[in-house]
mmCIF file of all heavy atoms in Angstrom:
data_model
loop_
_atom_site.group_PDB
_atom_site.id
_atom_site.type_symbol
_atom_site.label_atom_id
_atom_site.label_comp_id
_atom_site.label_asym_id
_atom_site.label_seq_id
_atom_site.Cartn_x
_atom_site.Cartn_y
_atom_site.Cartn_z
ATOM 1 N N LEU B 59 14.804 -3.720 -52.254
ATOM 2 C CA LEU B 59 15.321 -4.851 -53.028
ATOM 3 C C LEU B 59 15.189 -4.584 -54.518
ATOM 4 O O LEU B 59 14.255 -3.917 -54.958
ATOM 5 C CB LEU B 59 14.521 -6.117 -52.712
ATOM 6 C CG LEU B 59 14.443 -6.562 -51.259
ATOM 7 C CD1 LEU B 59 13.373 -7.626 -51.101
ATOM 8 C CD2 LEU B 59 15.788 -7.069 -50.799
ATOM 9 N N ILE B 60 16.136 -5.150 -55.278
ATOM 10 C CA ILE B 60 16.007 -5.172 -56.729
ATOM 11 C C ILE B 60 16.159 -6.609 -57.197
ATOM 12 O O ILE B 60 16.748 -7.441 -56.503
ATOM 13 C CB ILE B 60 17.039 -4.266 -57.447
ATOM 14 C CG1 ILE B 60 18.484 -4.700 -57.134
ATOM 15 C CG2 ILE B 60 16.795 -2.807 -57.119
ATOM 16 C CD1 ILE B 60 19.528 -4.005 -57.981
ATOM 17 N N ASN B 61 15.606 -6.866 -58.366
ATOM 18 C CA ASN B 61 15.751 -8.170 -59.006
ATOM 19 C C ASN B 61 16.730 -7.975 -60.150
ATOM 20 O O ASN B 61 16.409 -7.345 -61.150
ATOM 21 C CB ASN B 61 14.391 -8.652 -59.521
ATOM 22 C CG ASN B 61 14.463 -10.018 -60.171
ATOM 23 O OD1 ASN B 61 15.537 -10.549 -60.438
ATOM 24 N ND2 ASN B 61 13.309 -10.579 -60.450
ATOM 25 N N LEU B 62 17.943 -8.473 -59.970
ATOM 26 C CA LEU B 62 18.992 -8.330 -60.977
ATOM 27 C C LEU B 62 19.208 -9.677 -61.650
ATOM 28 O O LEU B 62 19.850 -10.556 -61.084
ATOM 29 C CB LEU B 62 20.281 -7.824 -60.330
ATOM 30 C CG LEU B 62 21.429 -7.505 -61.277
ATOM 31 C CD1 LEU B 62 21.055 -6.365 -62.228
ATOM 32 C CD2 LEU B 62 22.680 -7.138 -60.475
ATOM 33 N N ARG B 63 18.587 -9.829 -62.813
ATOM 34 C CA ARG B 63 18.682 -11.072 -63.584
ATOM 35 C C ARG B 63 18.341 -12.296 -62.733
ATOM 36 O O ARG B 63 19.057 -13.290 -62.735
ATOM 37 C CB ARG B 63 20.058 -11.200 -64.220
ATOM 38 C CG ARG B 63 20.301 -10.166 -65.310
ATOM 39 C CD ARG B 63 21.633 -10.319 -65.988
ATOM 40 N NE ARG B 63 22.775 -10.130 -65.121
ATOM 41 C CZ ARG B 63 23.238 -8.963 -64.717
ATOM 42 N NH1 ARG B 63 22.655 -7.860 -65.109
ATOM 43 N NH2 ARG B 63 24.293 -8.867 -63.940
ATOM 44 N N GLY B 64 17.259 -12.178 -61.966
ATOM 45 C CA GLY B 64 16.772 -13.298 -61.170
ATOM 46 C C GLY B 64 17.366 -13.407 -59.780
ATOM 47 O O GLY B 64 16.927 -14.224 -58.985
ATOM 48 N N LYS B 65 18.340 -12.576 -59.451
ATOM 49 C CA LYS B 65 18.935 -12.595 -58.111
ATOM 50 C C LYS B 65 18.416 -11.388 -57.321
ATOM 51 O O LYS B 65 18.464 -10.263 -57.802
ATOM 52 C CB LYS B 65 20.455 -12.543 -58.210
ATOM 53 C CG LYS B 65 21.119 -12.640 -56.864
ATOM 54 C CD LYS B 65 22.617 -12.774 -56.972
ATOM 55 C CE LYS B 65 23.179 -12.935 -55.569
ATOM 56 N NZ LYS B 65 24.592 -13.155 -55.578
ATOM 57 N N ILE B 66 17.905 -11.641 -56.123
ATOM 58 C CA ILE B 66 17.387 -10.577 -55.266
ATOM 59 C C ILE B 66 18.558 -9.946 -54.514
ATOM 60 O O ILE B 66 19.315 -10.632 -53.828
ATOM 61 C CB ILE B 66 16.345 -11.126 -54.268
ATOM 62 C CG1 ILE B 66 15.212 -11.822 -55.013
ATOM 63 C CG2 ILE B 66 15.819 -10.007 -53.374
ATOM 64 C CD1 ILE B 66 14.493 -10.961 -56.012
ATOM 65 N N ILE B 67 18.690 -8.631 -54.648
ATOM 66 C CA ILE B 67 19.807 -7.910 -54.041
ATOM 67 C C ILE B 67 19.260 -6.777 -53.180
ATOM 68 O O ILE B 67 18.396 -6.017 -53.612
ATOM 69 C CB ILE B 67 20.748 -7.357 -55.128
ATOM 70 C CG1 ILE B 67 21.358 -8.527 -55.902
ATOM 71 C CG2 ILE B 67 21.824 -6.461 -54.530
ATOM 72 C CD1 ILE B 67 22.212 -8.133 -57.058
ATOM 73 N N VAL B 68 19.778 -6.669 -51.968
ATOM 74 C CA VAL B 68 19.425 -5.574 -51.073
ATOM 75 C C VAL B 68 20.195 -4.333 -51.512
ATOM 76 O O VAL B 68 21.389 -4.396 -51.816
ATOM 77 C CB VAL B 68 19.763 -5.919 -49.601
ATOM 78 C CG1 VAL B 68 19.503 -4.735 -48.694
ATOM 79 C CG2 VAL B 68 18.976 -7.128 -49.133
ATOM 80 N N VAL B 69 19.492 -3.199 -51.547
ATOM 81 C CA VAL B 69 20.099 -1.934 -51.955
ATOM 82 C C VAL B 69 20.089 -0.981 -50.769
ATOM 83 O O VAL B 69 19.059 -0.812 -50.108
ATOM 84 C CB VAL B 69 19.311 -1.305 -53.131
ATOM 85 C CG1 VAL B 69 19.885 0.054 -53.502
ATOM 86 C CG2 VAL B 69 19.318 -2.236 -54.329
ATOM 87 N N ILE B 70 21.255 -0.393 -50.496
ATOM 88 C CA ILE B 70 21.344 0.602 -49.422
ATOM 89 C C ILE B 70 21.657 1.964 -50.023
ATOM 90 O O ILE B 70 22.211 2.062 -51.111
ATOM 91 C CB ILE B 70 22.399 0.228 -48.350
ATOM 92 C CG1 ILE B 70 23.810 0.289 -48.931
ATOM 93 C CG2 ILE B 70 22.104 -1.116 -47.731
ATOM 94 C CD1 ILE B 70 24.881 0.292 -47.871
ATOM 95 N N ASP B 71 21.284 3.004 -49.299
ATOM 96 C CA ASP B 71 21.601 4.373 -49.678
ATOM 97 C C ASP B 71 22.924 4.709 -48.987
ATOM 98 O O ASP B 71 22.975 4.882 -47.768
ATOM 99 C CB ASP B 71 20.476 5.301 -49.210
ATOM 100 C CG ASP B 71 20.695 6.748 -49.594
ATOM 101 O OD1 ASP B 71 21.854 7.155 -49.833
ATOM 102 O OD2 ASP B 71 19.695 7.483 -49.659
ATOM 103 N N LEU B 72 24.000 4.782 -49.767
ATOM 104 C CA LEU B 72 25.318 5.000 -49.181
ATOM 105 C C LEU B 72 25.424 6.381 -48.537
ATOM 106 O O LEU B 72 26.135 6.542 -47.546
ATOM 107 C CB LEU B 72 26.410 4.789 -50.236
ATOM 108 C CG LEU B 72 27.817 4.537 -49.735
ATOM 109 C CD1 LEU B 72 27.883 3.435 -48.689
ATOM 110 C CD2 LEU B 72 28.755 4.227 -50.886
ATOM 111 N N ASN B 73 24.703 7.377 -49.048
ATOM 112 C CA ASN B 73 24.677 8.697 -48.399
ATOM 113 C C ASN B 73 24.199 8.565 -46.957
ATOM 114 O O ASN B 73 24.835 9.063 -46.028
ATOM 115 C CB ASN B 73 23.738 9.661 -49.146
ATOM 116 C CG ASN B 73 24.416 10.408 -50.259
ATOM 117 O OD1 ASN B 73 25.463 11.002 -50.077
ATOM 118 N ND2 ASN B 73 23.810 10.379 -51.437
ATOM 119 N N ARG B 74 23.074 7.882 -46.786
ATOM 120 C CA ARG B 74 22.511 7.712 -45.429
ATOM 121 C C ARG B 74 23.433 6.886 -44.552
ATOM 122 O O ARG B 74 23.595 7.179 -43.372
ATOM 123 C CB ARG B 74 21.156 7.038 -45.501
ATOM 124 C CG ARG B 74 20.090 8.007 -45.869
ATOM 125 C CD ARG B 74 18.791 7.519 -45.367
ATOM 126 N NE ARG B 74 17.852 8.616 -45.569
ATOM 127 C CZ ARG B 74 16.611 8.534 -45.269
ATOM 128 N NH1 ARG B 74 16.117 7.440 -44.766
ATOM 129 N NH2 ARG B 74 15.819 9.554 -45.471
ATOM 130 N N ARG B 75 24.006 5.848 -45.117
ATOM 131 C CA ARG B 75 24.867 4.962 -44.327
ATOM 132 C C ARG B 75 26.070 5.710 -43.773
ATOM 133 O O ARG B 75 26.522 5.455 -42.672
ATOM 134 C CB ARG B 75 25.313 3.766 -45.173
ATOM 135 C CG ARG B 75 26.200 2.813 -44.423
ATOM 136 C CD ARG B 75 25.406 2.196 -43.264
ATOM 137 N NE ARG B 75 26.253 1.365 -42.468
ATOM 138 C CZ ARG B 75 26.412 1.508 -41.152
ATOM 139 N NH1 ARG B 75 25.750 2.425 -40.493
ATOM 140 N NH2 ARG B 75 27.199 0.714 -40.487
ATOM 141 N N LEU B 76 26.587 6.656 -44.571
ATOM 142 C CA LEU B 76 27.761 7.407 -44.136
ATOM 143 C C LEU B 76 27.401 8.666 -43.343
ATOM 144 O O LEU B 76 28.275 9.425 -42.948
ATOM 145 C CB LEU B 76 28.631 7.773 -45.345
ATOM 146 C CG LEU B 76 29.232 6.584 -46.083
ATOM 147 C CD1 LEU B 76 30.040 7.064 -47.279
ATOM 148 C CD2 LEU B 76 30.092 5.725 -45.164
ATOM 149 N N GLY B 77 26.089 8.897 -43.124
ATOM 150 C CA GLY B 77 25.667 10.026 -42.310
ATOM 151 C C GLY B 77 25.443 11.307 -43.082
ATOM 152 O O GLY B 77 25.267 12.373 -42.486
ATOM 153 N N PHE B 78 25.453 11.255 -44.414
ATOM 154 C CA PHE B 78 25.144 12.426 -45.228
ATOM 155 C C PHE B 78 23.641 12.501 -45.426
ATOM 156 O O PHE B 78 22.938 11.511 -45.269
ATOM 157 C CB PHE B 78 25.815 12.339 -46.606
ATOM 158 C CG PHE B 78 27.320 12.268 -46.557
ATOM 159 C CD1 PHE B 78 27.993 11.332 -47.330
ATOM 160 C CD2 PHE B 78 28.061 13.124 -45.773
ATOM 161 C CE1 PHE B 78 29.373 11.259 -47.318
ATOM 162 C CE2 PHE B 78 29.445 13.056 -45.753
ATOM 163 C CZ PHE B 78 30.104 12.120 -46.525
ATOM 164 N N SER B 79 23.161 13.680 -45.822
ATOM 165 C CA SER B 79 21.733 13.770 -46.118
ATOM 166 C C SER B 79 21.466 13.080 -47.450
ATOM 167 O O SER B 79 22.249 13.183 -48.385
ATOM 168 C CB SER B 79 21.282 15.232 -46.157
ATOM 169 O OG SER B 79 21.995 15.927 -47.156
ATOM 170 N N SER B 80 20.368 12.373 -47.496
ATOM 171 C CA SER B 80 19.984 11.661 -48.702
ATOM 172 C C SER B 80 19.411 12.652 -49.697
ATOM 173 O O SER B 80 18.878 13.686 -49.311
ATOM 174 C CB SER B 80 18.941 10.598 -48.353
ATOM 175 O OG SER B 80 18.739 9.747 -49.440
ATOM 176 N N ARG B 81 19.534 12.337 -50.985
ATOM 177 C CA ARG B 81 18.946 13.218 -51.977
ATOM 178 C C ARG B 81 18.154 12.396 -52.974
ATOM 179 O O ARG B 81 18.337 11.186 -53.079
ATOM 180 C CB ARG B 81 20.005 14.068 -52.657
ATOM 181 C CG ARG B 81 20.807 13.341 -53.717
ATOM 182 C CD ARG B 81 21.630 14.318 -54.510
ATOM 183 N NE ARG B 81 21.763 13.786 -55.864
ATOM 184 C CZ ARG B 81 22.725 14.076 -56.670
ATOM 185 N NH1 ARG B 81 23.670 14.900 -56.302
ATOM 186 N NH2 ARG B 81 22.768 13.562 -57.878
ATOM 187 N N GLU B 82 17.283 13.077 -53.701
ATOM 188 C CA GLU B 82 16.476 12.396 -54.708
ATOM 189 C C GLU B 82 17.383 11.829 -55.795
ATOM 190 O O GLU B 82 18.359 12.467 -56.196
ATOM 191 C CB GLU B 82 15.476 13.368 -55.339
ATOM 192 C CG GLU B 82 14.323 13.736 -54.442
ATOM 193 C CD GLU B 82 13.410 12.559 -54.149
ATOM 194 O OE1 GLU B 82 13.092 11.788 -55.070
ATOM 195 O OE2 GLU B 82 13.029 12.418 -52.974
ATOM 196 N N ASN B 83 17.044 10.645 -56.273
ATOM 197 C CA ASN B 83 17.794 10.053 -57.377
ATOM 198 C C ASN B 83 17.478 10.798 -58.664
ATOM 199 O O ASN B 83 16.366 11.268 -58.857
ATOM 200 C CB ASN B 83 17.436 8.572 -57.523
ATOM 201 C CG ASN B 83 17.861 7.771 -56.315
ATOM 202 O OD1 ASN B 83 18.867 8.075 -55.684
ATOM 203 N ND2 ASN B 83 17.104 6.762 -55.973
#
Side-chain angles (χ1 to χ4, degrees):
L59 303 167
I60 60 170
N61 181 349
L62 185 63
R63 292 182 297 282
K65 183 172 183 176
I66 303 302
I67 297 175
V68 175
V69 176
I70 67 165
D71 182 337
L72 199 51
N73 272 309
R74 280 205 171 179
R75 180 64 185 125
L76 296 178
F78 299 134
S79 60
S80 191
R81 78 169 211 205
E82 287 294 317
N83 295 327

